[in-house]
Amino acid sequence: MKKLLYSFLLLSSATLFAQQNPSIRFAVANNIIGTVEMFNAKKTIVQSSKVYSSAANLPQTLKKYSFISTQGFTEYKIKNGYEGLDRISLADLNAQYDIPADTPVFIEGYEFTDTNTLVYGDILGKMEAKNYNGKKTLFISTSR
């Protein structure tokens, strides 16, 4: 009975770690991941934006982000001279936590398997290394 209960608790905790946050709306600018909230706070650097309501509407250049477009997706164009926002690759974030560079990273419950993906530093709120499916994995929350 203890083994059954332990197995259930382990499975449910793994499921809870990976739940997607439906309130987060991801965005991209210059092929770097951010959030709509982040860009709304930086309106002075935004030249234009285009909102896509579903993954089916994404242009070919953004199809690789279809897995995070469940709540819609926004593409931003940054004004010339303002492209220097802090950015970091998910592989570099993994390295900071002594996690192998190719280990997927979870951001708000969305699994990013391509660790070469760049993210803006402004979306990195709370970061925590947790055991997920027997591997040390980085989980990122955009809220501070």
Side-chain angles (χ1 to χ4, degrees):
M1 184 66 173
K2 284 184 181 179
K3 286 184 181 181
L4 181 63
L5 181 59
Y6 178 74
S7 297
F8 174 74
L9 289 174
L10 186 63
L11 179 64
S12 58
S13 68
T15 304
L16 286 175
F17 284 144
Q19 284 189 345
Q20 297 174 349
N21 185 345
S23 66
I24 297 300
R25 291 186 8 236
F26 287 100
V28 67
N30 299 332
N31 222 15
I32 305 168
I33 300 293
T35 63
V36 171
E37 182 179 274
M38 179 198 96
F39 286 106
N40 284 344
K42 297 182 176 297
K43 288 182 182 181
T44 57
I45 69 166
V46 173
Q47 179 178 324
S48 65
S49 64
K50 172 113 171 117
V51 178
Y52 300 97
S53 59
S54 70
N57 297 340
L58 292 175
Q60 195 61 39
T61 57
L62 298 177
K63 289 283 186 193
K64 64 183 174 182
Y65 302 119
S66 63
F67 71 101
I68 58 173
S69 64
T70 57
Q71 300 299 318
F73 193 75
T74 306
E75 179 181 25
Y76 287 92
K77 300 282 186 211
I78 305 295
K79 292 179 183 174
N80 285 337
Y82 291 97
E83 297 91 357
L85 294 173
D86 289 338
R87 65 199 72 179
I88 189 166
S89 74
L90 296 178
D92 289 341
L93 287 173
N94 273 341
Q96 290 179 13
Y97 284 84
D98 294 322
I99 298 171
D102 62 343
T103 302
V105 174
F106 285 86
I107 302 176
E108 293 292 352
Y110 292 87
E111 183 177 13
F112 287 75
T113 55
D114 179 5
T115 57
N116 292 317
T117 300
L118 294 174
V119 296
Y120 285 110
D122 289 14
I123 72 165
L124 304 175
K126 181 181 170 191
M127 296 189 289
E128 190 174 3
K130 300 177 186 178
N131 187 359
Y132 179 73
N133 288 340
K135 290 175 68 176
K136 189 175 177 184
T137 304
L138 184 60
F139 287 80
I140 299 173
S141 170
T142 59
S143 58
R144 299 187 190 274

